[in-house]
Amino acid sequence: MLIDAIRLVFVNGIFDASASSELPAEIVRFSQASADQQKIIKQHLGSVIEGDKHLFSGLNNAWVDEGVLIHLKAGQELTKPVYLVQVSQGAVAHAINHRLLVVLEKNSRAEIIEHFMSTEEKQSHFVNAVTEMVLQDNACLQHYNLHLEGEQQQHIGAVHVNLGRGSQFRAFTLALGSQLMRVDYQCHHRGEGAELNLQGIYLPRNQQLVDYHTNIQHWVPHCTSNEIFRGIISDQAKAVFNGRIHIHPQAQKTLAELSNKNLLTSNKAEINTKPELEIYADDVKCAHGATVSQLNANALYYLQSRGVLRADAQVMMSFGFINELLQAVEQEAVRQYLSPKLAKLFGRDPVLDEVES
Amino acid sequence: MLSITNLHAKVEDKDILKGLNLKVNPGEIHAIMGPNGSGKSTLGYVLSGRDGYEVTQGSVEFAGKNLLDLEIEERAHEGLFLAFQYPVEIPGVSNMEFLKASVDAKRKHLGLPELSAIEFMKLARESSKRVNLDAAFLKRGVNEGFSGGEKKRNEIMQMMLLEPKLCILDETDSGLDIDALQVVAKGVNEMRSPDRSFIVVTHYQRLLDFIVPDFVHVLSGGRIIKTGGKELALELEQKGYGWLEEAV
């Protein structure tokens, strides 16, 4: 990805200093942490995770010997995004542990991109990634979690977030499928007026699997959640979307929306979607919905009537289905990186995009 | 150019066209008027090959071919163009990408190479200017969030890019203000040529002040019940359709 960022590159879980940027004081590997930073790590690591809800974090805990801490003090703002790249390399299977702890104190702001990638299709590494983020009052975090790994890869990922009063968490996630691709989001509104915006795209093909589980818990009043996931499931692939919003009795005046739309492009593709609202407060505004569909017949006819071959029209419309979310991605570098990659996935000419923009 | 003989068609077991005959020669403009539900839109859909519109009898010859044998996209490649009454919104598919795909498909059919992205951009910008559509619309989703007038102008722009032999305008004037109507009419008039024909489906005589037809047909009950010159449209405007239907 071409981006002017603070870059941290890990190859099979090992930090690659030569490929990484010089790190500012706010970003440190656990092994290099100062006494003060160690205190922060001790205070927060594992504090966001509810262990019984995410068993793989236990495994991650057992293996933690390295990780990254991003810690911003009150009012601090990083001038550049932080770009963490996890590269899986080589044919020999590795078990890769990735741990990220983000602590944003009051009024601080950061943008973080986590990018998981493989150098070849054939890799069958096991990746266990756990990200914990603490947003204190009025902190603002833009977070990207991108999974473009090889088809044989097994990935268990989790993002755990605590949102303090008036904080903002804006997140985008994308996953191509693999043998096992599971990503969890566990978010907690713990301070009033917190805002969460989570958008996701999943695109399993062949015999791949993508498995997204999100759980947003409103513990306090006046918080907002807006969650949109879209998936295209092709061939004999399978996807699971389990999105849950849990509104506890104290969480009055909550605004929460959850939408999940799916497109099946083959009659052997499978989606299991389960949007859930669990509401224990009586003065809230919530909506949730899921759809599973094929391509819109009217639109297909319209394109064909202009001479576009049916097969090409199907490709255009499939891409269009997720392109809406892609175009809404705020970080231009992420958008520019993903657009041609996904366009290629749908057999589309990316040159036109470049000229257009 | 187009020869329709005894065409019968049904939609969901309901007979709509019941023995329609129409012959359109190169360069001619035919207006089709008629009451609601008479089959005007159905005719356009049947000719373009829309699913669910089943031809039960009759034949349609277009440019020397049996039109009814062709796929939807093949009909377009042969030079048939239907400007829709309600153009479809397709969010996420950029107008530019869509237009290039349609032009390239047509060029491929003609044995011409695809246009480069830059050549196409130039062409598309020129066409959008001709229909008074800001070039910014090219980047938007197909018809996404376009006003009624913008959608219709987008249809005319597509028509310009595809240079069809036969253009069917299905109530292109509905929902247009006077300015937009003139833009659309100007676009159509610019495209008039001795080897291009038009079928203009409309409810209102007003459009025919701007696009002057050679023939006016009245479609009622799935058949053409009267044919005349452009003055017939004026007569219909005054008298309505009742007197014709009673006479049949």
Side-chain angles (χ1 to χ4, degrees), chain A residues 74-355:
Chain A
Q76 249 188 325
E77 184 172 350
L78 286 174
T79 50
K80 291 180 182 179
V82 183
Y83 180 34
L84 293 128
V85 193
Q86 285 285 348
V87 186
S88 294
Q89 198 180 58
V92 181
H94 283 69
I96 299 163
N97 222 40
H98 166 72
R99 191 76 183 237
L100 172 66
L101 174 64
V102 178
V103 179
L104 301 185
E105 292 188 17
K106 282 180 187 176
N107 300 312
S108 61
R109 296 175 81 90
E111 181 174 357
I112 297 168
I113 301 159
E114 293 188 81
H115 182 181
F116 296 86
M117 59 188 284
S118 301
T119 52
E120 298 141 69
E121 268 304 314
K122 292 210 179 93
Q123 276 144 5
S124 53
H125 298 354
F126 171 71
V127 181
N128 184 359
V130 175
T131 297
E132 272 181 281
M133 305 196 274
V134 179
L135 277 66
Q136 295 182 352
D137 296 356
N138 299 314
C140 181
L141 174 64
Q142 182 98 44
H143 181 246
Y144 297 90
N145 192 15
L146 312 175
H147 301 274
L148 296 101
E149 296 166 85
E151 189 153 12
Q152 310 286 321
Q153 198 87 332
Q154 302 194 28
H155 185 117
I156 303 280
V159 177
H160 300 260
V161 191
N162 264 351
L163 291 160
R165 178 185 286 265
S167 65
Q168 272 188 43
F169 178 59
R170 297 205 300 273
F172 174 81
T173 178
L174 176 136
L176 305 183
S178 67
Q179 205 177 64
L180 170 65
M181 167 65 62
R182 170 159 177 159
V183 182
D184 286 27
Y185 275 82
Q186 295 278 347
C187 308
H188 300 273
H189 285 286
R190 297 204 186 270
E192 291 191 22
E195 276 179 41
L196 174 146
N197 199 319
L198 172 61
Q199 307 211 332
I201 296 173
Y202 45 91
L203 304 165
R205 305 192 300 162
N206 303 327
Q207 297 189 349
Q208 301 164 358
L209 169 72
V210 173
D211 195 352
Y212 266 107
H213 292 250
T214 70
N215 187 6
I216 298 169
Q217 303 208 43
H218 286 255
W219 296 92
V220 293
H222 295 289
C223 293
T224 306
S225 294
N226 189 359
E227 183 178 350
I228 302 173
F229 272 78
R230 285 198 180 186
I232 301 178
I233 304 100
S234 319
D235 308 317
Q236 298 159 56
K238 187 172 166 179
V240 177
F241 176 80
N242 189 354
R244 183 162 168 267
I245 296 181
H246 187 133
I247 299 169
H248 292 271
Q250 298 78 18
Q252 300 293 2
K253 306 285 181 191
T254 291
L255 294 177
E257 280 187 40
L258 165 63
S259 151
N260 173 232
K261 291 187 182 173
N262 297 281
L263 188 63
L264 300 178
T265 62
S266 114
N267 57 12
K268 289 196 173 132
E270 186 179 325
I271 168 73
N272 295 293
T273 174
K274 189 172 159 210
E276 292 177 80
L277 272 179
E278 215 170 312
I279 305 175
Y280 297 101
D282 55 11
D283 185 11
V284 299
K285 194 173 164 191
C286 300
H288 70 319
T291 62
V292 179
S293 62
Q294 272 101 39
L295 293 169
N296 180 308
N298 255 348
L300 207 54
Y301 160 63
Y302 185 73
L303 295 177
Q304 283 179 273
S305 80
R306 297 299 178 251
V308 181
L309 299 182
R310 190 179 175 85
D312 295 342
Q314 285 168 336
V315 166
M316 280 166 76
M317 287 176 58
S318 297
F319 183 75
F321 183 73
I322 54 155
N323 196 29
E324 278 180 273
L325 291 189
L326 204 56
Q327 291 307 316
V329 167
E330 288 181 52
Q331 171 56 252
E332 198 183 339
V334 171
R335 209 168 53 231
Q336 298 224 334
Y337 171 78
L338 289 177
S339 271
K341 264 205 156 52
L342 301 188
K344 201 173 143 203
L345 209 62
F346 292 99
R348 194 171 149 276
D349 180 10
V351 178
L352 204 60
D353 280 338
E354 285 164 26
V355 176

Side-chain angles (χ1 to χ4, degrees), chain B residues 10-53:
Chain B
K10 64 178 186 181
V11 183
E12 289 173 357
D13 286 332
K14 194 176 171 214
D15 293 317
I16 309 278
L17 299 182
K18 301 168 187 168
L20 187 142
N21 294 295
L22 180 67
K23 196 166 161 51
V24 178
N25 293 312
E28 291 176 351
I29 297 191
H30 291 245
I32 295 184
M33 305 182 77
N36 292 324
S38 59
K40 300 189 300 297
S41 290
T42 297
L43 176 62
Y45 291 148
V46 167
L47 293 179
S48 72
R50 184 173 192 159
D51 281 347
Y53 289 75

Side-chain angles (χ1 to χ4, degrees), chain B residues 76-88:
Chain B
H77 298 158
E78 289 297 332
L80 185 99
F81 183 92
L82 173 63
F84 286 86
Q85 183 180 2
Y86 303 110
V88 186

Side-chain angles (χ1 to χ4, degrees), chain A residues 8 10 13 28-30 41 44-51 54-70 84 86 96-102 114 116 127-133 158 160:
Chain A
L8 287 91
F10 292 81
V28 70
R29 285 182 290 135
F30 291 176
I41 295 170
H44 293 285
L45 194 71
S47 72
V48 187
I49 301 172
E50 294 177 300
H54 187 66
L55 296 176
F56 276 90
S57 67
L59 181 60
N60 193 293
N61 285 340
W63 280 349
V64 166
D65 49 1
E66 186 59 295
V68 174
L69 168 70
I70 301 174
L84 293 128
Q86 285 285 348
I96 299 163
N97 222 40
H98 166 72
R99 191 76 183 237
L100 172 66
L101 174 64
V102 178
E114 293 188 81
F116 296 86
V127 181
N128 184 359
V130 175
T131 297
E132 272 181 281
M133 305 196 274
H160 300 260

